[in-house]
Amino acid sequence: MTASTTKGYIGMGMEGPIATWYANSTRSQMPDFQRLARRISETAPRGGRALEVAPGPGYLAIELARLGRQSVVGLDISASFVRIARQKAAEAGVRVDFQQGNASQMPFGDNSFDFIVCRAAFKNFADPVGALNEMHRVLKAGGQALINDLRNDASEAEVNQHVDGMGLNTVNSLLTKSAFKFMLLKRAYTVDAFGALVAQSRFGAANIQREGIGMDIWLEKV
Ligand SMILES: C[S@@+](CC[C@H](N)C(=O)[O-])C[C@H]1O[C@@H](n2cnc3c(N)ncnc32)[C@H](O)[C@@H]1O
């Protein structure tokens, strides 16, 4: 194990059958991945380089690459997810450079990317300020990052309604609701807590917007 893959997450790692289960159960959210990919593709500079931090099975990065306006790189700490994402990109016939590594010790040079996205993952990072500082370091001047994550103050009823809209079967729906209730909501940040993390980081400030059960955190390297 290298320094870049030492435990960089809170709780259990997503390897083996857990990664396979997650890849299968989140496939039903493809319309969300496609919508977000279109938004990023229109926001990031045409011909630029985009990085997805913690892409898991790679659905968003693959949809972004399919749109063809940016070259796409993915960085995930899970060896299983890197393997799954590479296979899915090959099946889709698109080029995404999926690499294994830790969000708080990225294997990229300074000023490498025009845009960074991180979805449904940030609350799991063991070193959140380190991850923000790495995003800042690898972004080019003027580059933007978008972090989308669960809000700690989302109610159980809102979360259950969200999961009901995910198109899961009964077992996966129950497992997903339990994961939200017993793990994810406990780890999630409030808008204020996220703002405080950003204030400690090299970004200094963020534009944070509430979105359903989550929030969009927009960051810019000035
Ligand atoms: C819940 S999954 C989200 C996957 C994907 N972004 C999505 O929207 O479905 C969380 C991801 O964060 C990754 N992860 C956790 N800690 C990490 C870290 N320190 N560096 C990079 N990836 C990390 C996990 O391996 C996993 O792929």
Side-chain angles (χ1 to χ4, degrees):
M1 186 172 278
T2 65
S4 63
T5 57
T6 48
K7 191 169 184 293
Y9 45 82
I10 300 167
M12 215 169 34
M14 297 186 77
E15 297 286 356
I18 297 174
T20 305
W21 173 80
Y22 187 86
N24 290 336
S25 65
T26 51
R27 206 182 351 220
S28 64
Q29 294 173 51
M30 196 53 78
D32 288 346
F33 292 118
Q34 289 168 336
R35 212 172 304 120
L36 182 54
R38 280 196 298 274
R39 198 169 159 205
I40 295 167
S41 136
E42 284 158 17
T43 306
R46 192 182 273 266
R49 284 186 92 205
L51 169 67
E52 183 175 6
V53 176
Y59 296 125
L60 173 62
I62 290 169
E63 290 309 307
L64 184 58
R66 214 193 283 280
L67 294 171
R69 292 195 196 183
Q70 289 85 22
S71 60
V72 186
V73 177
L75 179 75
D76 201 286
I77 205 161
S78 156
S80 304
F81 271 141
V82 173
R83 185 178 39 75
I84 290 169
R86 284 178 180 162
Q87 190 181 334
K88 288 190 182 296
E91 284 163 9
V94 297
R95 203 178 138 69
V96 181
D97 179 11
F98 286 111
Q99 299 189 28
Q100 188 184 9
N102 189 338
S104 54
Q105 292 168 285
M106 294 193 200
F108 306 119
D110 299 355
N111 312 313
S112 299
F113 297 97
D114 300 279
F115 195 92
I116 297 178
V117 63
C118 177
R119 177 190 184 272
F122 195 92
K123 62 186 160 308
N124 302 310
F125 294 168
D127 178 12
V129 175
L132 288 171
N133 284 338
E134 279 294 84
M135 289 184 196
H136 188 275
R137 182 183 67 77
V138 304
L139 264 182
K140 295 178 188 170
Q144 285 184 296
L146 169 61
I147 300 172
N148 172 266
D149 212 347
L150 181 66
R151 253 189 11 257
N152 172 274
D153 55 355
S155 71
E156 195 177 333
E158 286 172 314
V159 167
N160 288 346
Q161 196 181 13
H162 174 85
V163 176
D164 288 339
M166 286 168 67
L168 301 173
N169 65 32
T170 310
V171 173
N172 281 340
S173 174
L174 282 173
L175 285 172
T176 304
K177 284 177 184 171
S178 301
F180 270 104
K181 184 173 176 183
F182 297 111
M183 288 189 319
L184 304 178
L185 276 171
K186 291 187 198 312
R187 284 179 204 163
Y189 297 100
T190 60
V191 168
D192 286 350
F194 212 110
L197 283 181
V198 173
Q200 292 174 59
S201 79
R202 294 197 181 104
F203 285 106
N207 174 2
I208 307 183
Q209 296 160 7
R210 289 162 187 268
E211 280 287 328
I213 62 167
M215 54 186 161
D216 279 349
I217 297 107
W218 285 94
L219 302 154
E220 187 174 349
K221 180 169 178 176
V222 286

